[in-house]
Amino acid sequence: MLNDATGDFIRQLESCLPEGSLRAPEPRDLEEPRGRYQGRAAAVVRPATVAEVSQVIRTCAASRVGVIPLGGGTGLVGGQVMPEGPVPILLSLERMRSIRALHPQENVLVAEAGATLAEIRAAAEGVDRLFPLSLASEGTARIGGNLATNAGGVNVLRYGNARDLCLGLEAVLPDGTIWNGLKRLRKDNTGYDLRNLLIGSEGTLGVITAASLKLVPRPAGEGTAFFVVEDPAAALSLLALAQDRLGGLISAFELIGGTGLDFLTEKLPDTRQPFSPRPDWMVLVELGLPQGLDPAAALEGLFEAGLEAGLVSDGVIAQSEAQRAEFWALRETIPAANKRIGAISSHDISLPLGRIADFIAEAGPALAAIGNWRINCFGHLGDGNLHYNVFPVQGESRAQHQAAAPSIMAMVHDLVHARDGSVSAEHGIGRLKVEDLERYGDPAKLAAMRTIKDALDPLGILNPGAVLRMR
Amino acid sequence: MLNDATGDFIRQLESCLPEGSLRAPEPRDLEEPRGRYQGRAAAVVRPATVAEVSQVIRTCAASRVGVIPLGGGTGLVGGQVMPEGPVPILLSLERMRSIRALHPQENVLVAEAGATLAEIRAAAEGVDRLFPLSLASEGTARIGGNLATNAGGVNVLRYGNARDLCLGLEAVLPDGTIWNGLKRLRKDNTGYDLRNLLIGSEGTLGVITAASLKLVPRPAGEGTAFFVVEDPAAALSLLALAQDRLGGLISAFELIGGTGLDFLTEKLPDTRQPFSPRPDWMVLVELGLPQGLDPAAALEGLFEAGLEAGLVSDGVIAQSEAQRAEFWALRETIPAANKRIGAISSHDISLPLGRIADFIAEAGPALAAIGNWRINCFGHLGDGNLHYNVFPVQGESRAQHQAAAPSIMAMVHDLVHARDGSVSAEHGIGRLKVEDLERYGDPAKLAAMRTIKDALDPLGILNPGAVLRMR
């Protein structure tokens, strides 16, 4: 059993770190974006070097005190806040945010875990490269947290998840040893894949302190369009058509449902909408092309082919960089509108592409049988990743329906699981989905996970209660 | 300590499996391609289903008998043969070779571990898709082994290693439990990355029985060229130039050294060579382009830009599919020529791209200081992966110099390690490089690997002595 981080313990930590390394927790350190959990912590420890991180972990191990690693705090499943159990410390990477190295010719950047995603993207741009991980919260989210949770976002279709963009890690393991794994190699088959084991383990197996990251050449030209489609099945056929024509050059393929457009009208009426009347479904398509291919022409060609195949009925292609930004702003504003409406239950699900249309067609009527809701279904269709969020009808509030939330979530997750989908596509398990993991996870995998956790962190000090139940 | 697979044990195994599941080992089951190890085994067990694999593992665990998983037997580091210690069984996946499912619209194929890489590539082609893993041994190598060793090959630059092409696994863990992880999702953040932990663990943590694999759209057009370059530094600058112009559309970028061309002249004189006199260095460049871009024009443009930048001095672009195949045949014949000459020491190394030219410039003189050798340096330059192989001079034999092999290898590996490189880029550790891993591996990583192995396979029955020393 873990121990509380007592006053004596905090003084001991202070004595082995440079002055100013600790601060009192502020409210923002103990909250998460959706307000589901209220964390507790005896102090925020802010090491400035990997050696100091090691010192913190060793000190916590010696007294068996829990450690919650903290990045930008933007996680949506409560992985960064511990609301119950013995009082832990927060280990914030906020002072380790340097870009340690840039190798443009190798397409590699080495950053400390506390650098924000936006800082890393800007550093890459500074040498005419792209770091393709892109999320709405990139101004706040830190790369250590992005890797710890294997973040996704809008460009996974083309460039993969966070794990696909990482070549090497520096991390502190639960016994305080430092793993110097900052390789910048494309091929390295020397032993078990510790890098991918830590990525996505949500700080339960080690604290990532730095990473070497893959950059890619910036496309010579980019183009963005909205296309109106009849339904999600048509959107998927359009994706297949686009892939036949353009292979791996499609950077994003996002589905937007009519309900999301209604929410914008209702809560953020200044958002310019591309079509009137508002369509039931539309997609945002982005291309990044090499020299010799014109984005506007490619999007026009795709539109015409889609029209001929009966897949699209209307479309608009961005005519300038400003208009491209405006298209993306519409997409990225939907979560803000959702927040203002107030979801009863939100779901971050993924499905095999061939089963998405079927799921959407069945989930709506199934939910309607237990109440009246508005469903905002949108997201990264190209990756099979939907944000399928359930809201009260207009005039009613989330609070009135909170009691129905567990049965809504169970219904959605059961339907997803029955179709070989995932109940956490990109947000992770954190504390919110520990029960879901136990319910839907493969028993052999769960047993292996528990074995690995207990072997690498026998004291259970790293992010206790996240991913796996506290023991 | 493990026990021998005795006659009694083999009879027990026979009694719990369908008739015909066991056969006597043949010489080919106990050898590896370079003849370094002579394996031993009491029987070859050939389960036909994952349930039978589980039965085999449970039976071996109960008697603490070692299990060597066997795919196509093409591995180059002795991972598939156990020359010493208690006599194990071989668990061959040869009867589990079906393509279980094809989902062309999802770009997914599900195959059993015993399917050869060539069979999987052909199945993908049958639905107008590409499975991009490509190796010289693809007619024999089985996908289970490709995944267990995280195989590389010629298209890693564009499509990644075997691990990057796998969406999910079915595997039997060391206690005989079956992990049903055959998801076909692009995003699934539900717990630790067991898939990547098994991939590259060389059969020491589990036996892969099936995999769901990523397919990609076939490029609309492909083009292949040889370009003569002054030296490896020029080749790398040409790669950067190509990436600036063509982004991620370069499928392969292979370095070929003059020594390799000499070896072809000496041992396989029927191989048609593109340039006369033979250049010191040349590269093979392959492009795979979407509709709207012409491969020949793109290669001509690259050649002209390279000429202008002083990076290339001659070039030839394949004019037909037959000629493309001929270009590749030259590249793929180099290992055969190497084999006929007989290497004293072969090295499968990778380096940060920015340190390759430097390594090549220093390694030659360093080796020359301890003897007269011919060095054939070639390989997947785009990935930083070189096959840096050391041969006797003409008229002398490998046998005369075998005593120098350890010091040659140590010198090469020391130079690689000093430049943050890897001493096993794509072949793995097997039994050949266990000492290298101990010598060059990060101590924290090695300790974590040992902890994971002991936790998941406490009896030590899975591929004993591969990757980690037998205990």
Side-chain angles (χ1 to χ4, degrees):
Chain A
M1 188 64 185
L2 294 170
N3 299 311
D4 280 326
T6 60
D8 275 355
F9 175 78
I10 296 301
R11 279 183 288 280
Q12 192 193 334
L13 253 184
E14 268 176 330
S15 73
C16 63
L17 292 169
E19 208 174 330
S21 294
L22 275 71
R23 64 170 173 81
E26 293 170 24
R28 67 180 165 86
D29 300 317
L30 302 171
E31 289 162 358
E32 41 80 43
R34 289 180 179 159
R36 284 202 184 88
Y37 299 95
Q38 182 58 43
R40 298 145 69 228
V44 179
V45 186
R46 305 177 304 153
T49 65
V50 63
E52 288 175 21
V53 175
S54 167
Q55 184 62 55
V56 173
I57 301 291
R58 282 179 205 275
T59 307
C60 289
S63 293
R64 204 165 182 177
V65 165
V67 179
I68 313 293
L70 182 62
T74 60
L76 293 171
V77 288
Q80 70 276 47
V81 285
M82 183 169 159
E84 54 192 14
V87 178
I89 60 151
L90 291 176
L91 194 167
S92 170
L93 280 302
E94 66 198 56
R95 291 171 71 200
M96 291 186 69
R97 58 194 298 173
S98 73
I99 306 293
R100 285 198 196 158
L102 259 167
H103 304 276
Q105 188 152 352
E106 294 182 12
N107 284 308
V108 174
L109 179 156
V110 182
E112 290 188 331
T116 67
L117 180 49
E119 286 165 355
I120 290 169
R121 287 174 56 90
E125 251 186 68
V127 292
D128 198 29
R129 293 291 183 276
L130 174 68
F131 181 62
L133 190 67
S134 178
L135 316 168
S137 60
E138 63 196 40
T140 311
R142 300 183 192 275
I143 191 67
N146 292 148
L147 290 165
T149 59
N150 186 31
V154 296
N155 290 333
V156 173
L157 175 65
R158 180 163 184 166
Y159 299 107
N161 295 289
R163 73 168 74 256
D164 302 303
L165 300 170
C166 178
L167 294 169
L169 292 177
E170 175 191 271
V172 177
L173 302 182
D175 63 356
T177 55
I178 296 168
W179 172 37
N180 290 299
L182 277 184
K183 299 254 177 174
R184 46 188 223 257
L185 304 170
R186 307 282 158 167
K187 282 180 165 174
D188 179 21
N189 276 348
T190 50
Y192 302 163
D193 189 358
L194 195 56
R195 178 185 77 217
N196 275 309
L197 186 61
L198 291 192
I199 295 173
S201 71
E202 306 185 31
T204 64
L205 299 178
V207 178
I208 294 169
T209 54
S212 67
L213 302 168
K214 275 189 209 171
L215 307 179
V216 298
R218 282 153 59 105
E222 291 179 286
T224 308
F226 285 123
F227 293 147
V228 174
V229 293
E230 174 83 17
D231 53 28
L236 285 162
S237 298
L238 182 67
L239 172 63
L241 185 69
Q243 285 177 324
D244 278 351
R245 298 170 63 92
L246 293 155
L249 301 173
I250 306 155
S251 304
F253 198 92
E254 298 281 306
L255 181 71
I256 297 171
T259 306
L261 300 174
D262 289 344
F263 286 5
L264 291 175
T265 305
E266 192 177 327
K267 295 291 180 186
L268 295 157
D270 289 345
T271 312
R272 186 142 75 169
Q273 297 214 11
F275 304 106
S276 174
R278 72 100 171 121
D280 283 345
W281 297 99
M282 64 185 206
V283 291
L284 184 158
V285 183
E286 181 153 280
L287 306 180
L289 303 183
Q291 288 175 21
L293 288 179
D294 175 48
L299 286 166
E300 277 159 32
L302 177 60
F303 177 73
E304 278 158 30
L307 204 61
E308 199 171 313
L311 299 173
V312 301
S313 59
D314 201 352
V316 50
I317 297 171
Q319 298 299 317
S320 64
E321 283 305 298
Q323 210 176 5
R324 284 188 56 225
E326 197 181 282
F327 284 19
W328 274 108
L330 183 148
R331 163 63 184 85
E332 300 289 17
T333 305
I334 292 175
N338 286 345
K339 203 167 177 179
R340 294 189 189 200
I341 302 276
I344 303 168
S345 186
S346 302
H347 314 96
D348 164 41
I349 58 175
S350 66
L351 291 146
L353 290 182
R355 294 186 151 185
I356 287 178
D358 181 42
F359 164 81
I360 293 176
E362 288 190 33
L367 287 168
I370 60 165
N372 285 322
W373 327 107
R374 288 188 292 176
I375 294 167
N376 189 8
C377 171
F378 65 103
H380 319 300
L381 187 70
D383 314 318
N385 177 194
L386 300 175
H387 298 302
Y388 191 89
N389 297 353
V390 179
F391 297 84
V393 295
Q394 212 163 0
E396 297 185 0
S397 78
R398 164 196 195 159
Q400 289 172 264
H401 295 283
Q402 213 47 59
S407 36
I408 292 173
M409 183 170 281
M411 184 174 273
V412 172
H413 285 179
D414 282 352
L415 288 167
V416 167
H417 183 67
R419 284 164 180 77
D420 298 325
S422 167
V423 300
S424 184
E426 59 176 5
H427 297 163
I429 299 298
R431 291 173 174 82
L432 182 66
K433 296 189 179 173
V434 171
E435 271 182 46
D436 280 312
L437 182 62
E438 291 171 351
R439 179 168 178 183
Y440 300 110
D442 177 82
K445 175 175 168 175
L446 288 176
M449 285 173 57
R450 171 54 75 184
T451 300
I452 291 166
K453 169 71 175 175
D454 290 349
L456 290 177
D457 183 14
L459 301 173
I461 59 169
L462 277 193
N463 213 358
V467 186
L468 295 167
R469 213 169 273 278
M470 213 184 312
R471 288 231 262 222
Chain B
M1 188 64 186
L2 294 170
N3 299 311
D4 280 326
T6 60
D8 275 354
F9 175 78
I10 296 301
R11 279 184 289 280
Q12 192 193 332
L13 254 185
E14 267 175 331
S15 73
C16 63
L17 292 169
E19 209 175 331
S21 295
L22 274 70
R23 63 171 174 80
E26 293 170 24
R28 65 179 166 88
D29 300 317
L30 302 171
E31 288 162 0
E32 42 79 43
R34 289 180 180 161
R36 284 202 185 87
Y37 299 95
Q38 182 58 43
R40 298 145 70 229
V44 179
V45 188
R46 305 177 303 152
T49 65
V50 63
E52 288 175 22
V53 174
S54 167
Q55 184 62 55
V56 173
I57 301 291
R58 282 179 205 277
T59 307
C60 289
S63 293
R64 205 165 181 177
V65 166
V67 179
I68 313 292
L70 182 62
T74 59
L76 294 170
V77 288
Q80 70 276 48
V81 286
M82 182 169 160
E84 53 192 14
V87 178
I89 60 152
L90 290 175
L91 194 167
S92 170
L93 280 303
E94 66 198 55
R95 291 171 72 200
M96 290 186 68
R97 58 194 296 171
S98 73
I99 306 291
R100 285 198 196 158
L102 258 167
H103 305 275
Q105 187 152 353
E106 294 183 11
N107 285 307
V108 174
L109 179 156
V110 182
E112 290 189 333
T116 67
L117 180 50
E119 286 164 356
I120 289 169
R121 287 174 56 90
E125 251 186 68
V127 293
D128 198 28
R129 292 290 184 276
L130 174 67
F131 181 62
L133 191 67
S134 178
L135 316 168
S137 60
E138 63 195 42
T140 310
R142 300 183 192 274
I143 192 68
N146 291 148
L147 289 166
T149 59
N150 186 30
V154 295
N155 290 333
V156 173
L157 176 64
R158 179 163 184 165
Y159 299 107
N161 294 290
R163 73 169 73 256
D164 302 302
L165 301 170
C166 179
L167 294 169
L169 292 177
E170 176 191 88
V172 178
L173 301 182
D175 63 356
T177 55
I178 297 168
W179 172 37
N180 291 299
L182 275 185
K183 298 254 177 173
R184 47 187 223 260
L185 304 171
R186 307 282 159 166
K187 281 180 167 175
D188 179 22
N189 275 349
T190 50
Y192 301 163
D193 189 358
L194 195 55
R195 178 186 77 215
N196 275 310
L197 185 62
L198 291 191
I199 295 173
S201 70
E202 305 184 32
T204 63
L205 299 178
V207 177
I208 294 168
T209 54
S212 66
L213 302 168
K214 276 188 209 171
L215 307 179
V216 298
R218 282 154 60 105
E222 291 179 285
T224 309
F226 284 123
F227 293 147
V228 174
V229 292
E230 174 83 16
D231 53 28
L236 285 163
S237 298
L238 182 66
L239 171 62
L241 186 68
Q243 285 177 324
D244 277 350
R245 298 170 63 93
L246 293 154
L249 301 173
I250 306 155
S251 304
F253 197 91
E254 299 280 306
L255 181 72
I256 297 171
T259 306
L261 299 173
D262 288 344
F263 285 5
L264 291 174
T265 305
E266 193 177 327
K267 296 291 181 187
L268 295 157
D270 290 344
T271 312
R272 185 141 75 167
Q273 297 213 12
F275 305 106
S276 174
R278 73 101 171 118
D280 283 345
W281 297 99
M282 64 185 206
V283 291
L284 184 158
V285 183
E286 180 153 281
L287 306 180
L289 303 184
Q291 288 175 22
L293 288 179
D294 175 48
L299 286 166
E300 277 160 31
L302 177 60
F303 176 73
E304 279 158 31
L307 204 60
E308 200 170 312
L311 300 172
V312 302
S313 59
D314 201 353
V316 51
I317 296 171
Q319 298 299 317
S320 63
E321 284 304 299
Q323 211 177 4
R324 283 187 57 224
E326 199 181 281
F327 283 19
W328 274 107
L330 182 148
R331 164 63 183 87
E332 300 289 17
T333 305
I334 291 174
N338 285 347
K339 201 168 178 176
R340 293 190 192 201
I341 302 276
I344 303 167
S345 186
S346 303
H347 315 97
D348 164 41
I349 59 176
S350 66
L351 291 147
L353 291 182
R355 295 185 149 186
I356 287 178
D358 182 43
F359 164 81
I360 294 176
E362 288 189 33
L367 287 168
I370 61 166
N372 285 322
W373 327 108
R374 289 188 291 176
I375 294 166
N376 188 8
C377 171
F378 66 104
H380 319 300
L381 188 68
D383 315 317
N385 177 194
L386 299 175
H387 298 302
Y388 191 90
N389 297 352
V390 179
F391 297 84
V393 296
Q394 212 163 1
E396 298 186 0
S397 78
R398 163 196 195 158
Q400 288 171 263
H401 295 283
Q402 213 47 59
S407 36
I408 291 173
M409 183 169 283
M411 183 173 274
V412 172
H413 285 178
D414 282 352
L415 287 168
V416 167
H417 182 67
R419 284 165 180 77
D420 299 325
S422 168
V423 300
S424 184
E426 59 176 6
H427 296 163
I429 299 298
R431 291 174 174 81
L432 183 66
K433 296 189 180 174
V434 171
E435 271 182 48
D436 280 312
L437 182 61
E438 291 171 350
R439 180 168 177 182
Y440 300 110
D442 177 82
K445 176 176 168 176
L446 289 176
M449 285 173 57
R450 172 52 76 185
T451 300
I452 291 167
K453 169 72 175 175
D454 290 349
L456 291 177
D457 183 14
L459 301 173
I461 59 169
L462 278 192
N463 214 358
V467 186
L468 294 168
R469 212 169 276 277
M470 214 183 312
R471 288 231 262 222

